[in-house]
Amino acid sequence: MAGASFEIKLEDPEAELTQDQKEKVLDNFKLLDQSKSGRLNPQQVGILFRAFGQNPTDEELAEMLRPIPQSGLDVDGFIRFFKGNYRPPTTEDTLLKAFQVFDLEDTGIMSRDKFKEMLTSLGDPMQDHEVEAILKEAEVDDKGLFDYKSLAKRLCEGPKRIPDMP
């Protein structure tokens, strides 16, 4: 759902959304508002936030959603939430540079096991399920290797499936 057609990029989070962006928010807001109440509950706010190209961790998203009342947000409230929590997306070039740090032989190939070890043990460690979600986007071969350039491209394009609805 977070592919290029859904993503909303903000040059300046303080500025008003463009008319096209407002229409995109409204159209997708209405799709998620199954009760037709004009409000999205906190879980739906999180789904729409991610659908528009934002990729916080589950923990970060839970923290962002904490102040939202159970009655949810209306469209204007969602726009304020989106703009207030917006982070510019990571570029493909930035991801490639990060991968290349660990590609000492400059092969463009990375081991699934090495990748998982790095993400779960270095810096701010990721949870296993988060790493597995990333690896689902990689085309890992029978030797446990993948082309990280291809993965960087896919990660920047966003997931290809719509999140499961409760």
Side-chain angles (χ1 to χ4, degrees):
M1 192 172 191
S5 63
F6 282 99
E7 187 172 41
I8 292 179
K9 290 185 181 180
L10 302 178
E11 297 299 321
D12 175 10
E14 300 297 317
E16 291 294 315
L17 297 182
T18 66
Q19 189 60 36
D20 183 52
Q21 290 170 332
K22 286 179 185 176
E23 288 174 13
K24 190 181 289 190
V25 168
L26 186 58
D27 290 347
N28 288 284
F29 188 98
K30 286 178 181 177
L31 285 173
L32 279 177
D33 181 16
Q34 296 172 331
S35 67
K36 306 299 180 218
S37 66
R39 301 181 80 76
L40 296 183
N41 67 38
Q43 181 184 13
Q44 293 167 324
V45 167
I47 290 169
L48 194 55
F49 184 68
R50 284 184 166 161
F52 289 142
Q54 295 295 291
N55 294 304
T57 65
D58 290 343
E59 293 78 15
E60 291 168 336
L61 184 61
E63 189 62 32
M64 288 177 206
L65 296 174
R66 189 162 290 135
I68 296 176
Q70 283 304 307
S71 60
L73 296 177
D74 61 13
V75 173
D76 291 334
F78 175 80
I79 289 172
R80 284 190 301 276
F81 173 87
F82 182 80
K83 289 171 54 175
N85 291 289
Y86 179 83
R87 300 292 171 261
T90 301
T91 66
E92 190 175 332
D93 189 50
T94 301
L95 286 176
L96 282 175
K97 287 177 182 173
F99 282 127
Q100 288 168 341
V101 168
F102 299 100
D103 184 10
L104 302 177
E105 297 174 15
D106 196 28
T107 62
I109 303 295
M110 185 165 286
S111 157
R112 178 191 197 289
D113 293 339
K114 181 71 174 168
F115 181 73
K116 186 171 183 174
E117 178 186 331
M118 289 183 318
L119 292 181
T120 57
S121 64
L122 298 176
D124 187 11
M126 293 178 75
Q127 300 290 320
D128 280 342
H129 70 276
E130 293 172 327
V131 176
E132 290 302 324
I134 293 170
L135 284 167
K136 282 182 184 176
E137 297 294 325
E139 295 176 3
V140 180
D141 68 16
D142 57 351
K143 295 178 186 171
L145 303 174
F146 63 92
D147 176 341
Y148 63 77
K149 292 175 186 172
S150 175
L151 176 60
K153 181 178 175 70
R154 292 191 72 181
L155 290 174
C156 288
E157 289 173 350
K160 299 294 183 242
R161 66 178 196 86
I162 296 173
D164 297 329
M165 292 293 289

